[in-house]
Amino acid sequence: MQQLLALIGCPKLPPQITPYVYSRDELQRLLDATDWFTSRSNRLQGLTYRSLLLLLYATGLRVSEALGLCLADMDRAQRMLTVRESKFYKTRLVPIGEDAFQVLSRYVDRRCRELPMPHGASSALFASRSGRPLSYRRVLTVFHLVRAEAGIGCPPGEHRPPRLHDLRHTAAVHRVISWYQEGKDVQQLLPRLATYLGHVNIVSTQRYLHMTPELLHEASVRFAQYAALDACEENDDA
């Protein structure tokens, strides 16, 4: 068997995709570019994709999780989303920040007024003009157009442009950067981030935390603070 494997050779794995972390300027350009997709036949289309992109960044949801949401999954009183039976068949509650909640609420109000609701409160949150859930393929196609309209191309040294899924990476990295800037204990908070993202363990979450220049800077600042504190304690003991 080993001789046979050596003869035919092992299949080559596709090159590993380098996750991309969008800058805040790029995020704003993506959101602004959705205005280009408002049409006479579907005046809600631009707001639909703007709300979807903002939700993906604000919550770190998987694209499939966001597209699987129905209207009843949004609890406005608690500012909470219920993500049902996602990866690993688990259901979890995901809180929504104030800014994202306001945008999403405005979208939901218009969605309920202007688009069909074939299944009542169980109808798709993000819907086409027929009221049916947006398809994953359609969303990816529109995102490619939005990304091009936003002027975001291939990063230096890469052969493909940033993906829609990279909004999830961006959400994780930006959250950790914010914790560093707020002086919080990041190591203690990482398990909470893992739960928020729907990961079964912290190892999966750590794969999302790529050392961007901004994250490296904040980590270096925190290390310098610890080093200075240790030096002060040593001087006090001398």
Side-chain angles (χ1 to χ4, degrees), residues 121-182:
S122 296
S123 300
L125 178 64
F126 295 106
S128 64
R129 62 182 178 180
S130 67
R132 296 179 179 179
L134 295 177
S135 70
Y136 194 98
R137 179 175 296 182
R138 173 60 179 167
V139 168
L140 288 183
T141 298
V142 172
F143 176 74
H144 293 163
L145 297 173
V146 169
R147 184 186 58 208
E149 182 69 14
I152 301 174
C154 295
E158 297 293 334
H159 301 291
R160 61 184 71 189
R163 305 163 297 163
L164 180 60
H165 180 70
D166 287 319
L167 288 172
R168 184 165 158 88
H169 291 272
T170 303
V173 170
H174 284 189
R175 171 49 51 197
V176 172
I177 290 173
S178 295
W179 284 340
Y180 273 125
Q181 292 173 339
E182 294 166 6

Side-chain angles (χ1 to χ4, degrees), residues 52-67:
L52 174 60
L53 295 181
L54 182 61
L55 181 68
L56 291 174
Y57 169 67
T59 62
L61 289 183
R62 300 176 179 93
V63 179
S64 58
E65 292 174 339
L67 297 182

Side-chain angles (χ1 to χ4, degrees), residues 54-202:
L54 182 61
L55 181 68
L56 291 174
Y57 169 67
T59 62
L61 289 183
R62 300 176 179 93
V63 179
S64 58
E65 292 174 339
L67 297 182
L69 293 171
C70 68
L71 292 167
D73 290 329
M74 182 176 172
D75 185 339
R76 295 205 194 192
Q78 300 295 325
R79 284 193 341 200
M80 193 83 66
L81 290 174
T82 300
V83 181
R84 305 179 188 278
E85 297 185 4
S86 60
K87 196 172 183 181
F88 308 113
Y89 306 101
K90 292 189 174 183
T91 296
R92 70 185 190 278
L93 298 177
V94 178
I96 317 171
E98 178 63 29
D99 292 341
F101 174 76
Q102 294 299 331
V103 172
L104 193 59
S105 291
R106 288 194 293 271
Y107 161 73
V108 170
D109 288 340
R110 289 192 57 187
R111 183 257 178 273
C112 292
R113 290 197 309 266
E114 301 177 24
L115 297 179
M117 297 174 58
H119 304 292
S122 296
S123 300
L125 178 64
F126 295 106
S128 64
R129 62 182 178 180
S130 67
R132 296 179 179 179
L134 295 177
S135 70
Y136 194 98
R137 179 175 296 182
R138 173 60 179 167
V139 168
L140 288 183
T141 298
V142 172
F143 176 74
H144 293 163
L145 297 173
V146 169
R147 184 186 58 208
E149 182 69 14
I152 301 174
C154 295
E158 297 293 334
H159 301 291
R160 61 184 71 189
R163 305 163 297 163
L164 180 60
H165 180 70
D166 287 319
L167 288 172
R168 184 165 158 88
H169 291 272
T170 303
V173 170
H174 284 189
R175 171 49 51 197
V176 172
I177 290 173
S178 295
W179 284 340
Y180 273 125
Q181 292 173 339
E182 294 166 6
K184 295 183 178 179
D185 190 333
V186 174
Q187 294 302 316
Q188 291 291 330
L189 291 171
L190 282 180
R192 297 186 185 181
L193 180 60
T195 301
Y196 188 83
L197 293 174
H199 289 153
V200 294
N201 55 54
I202 195 173

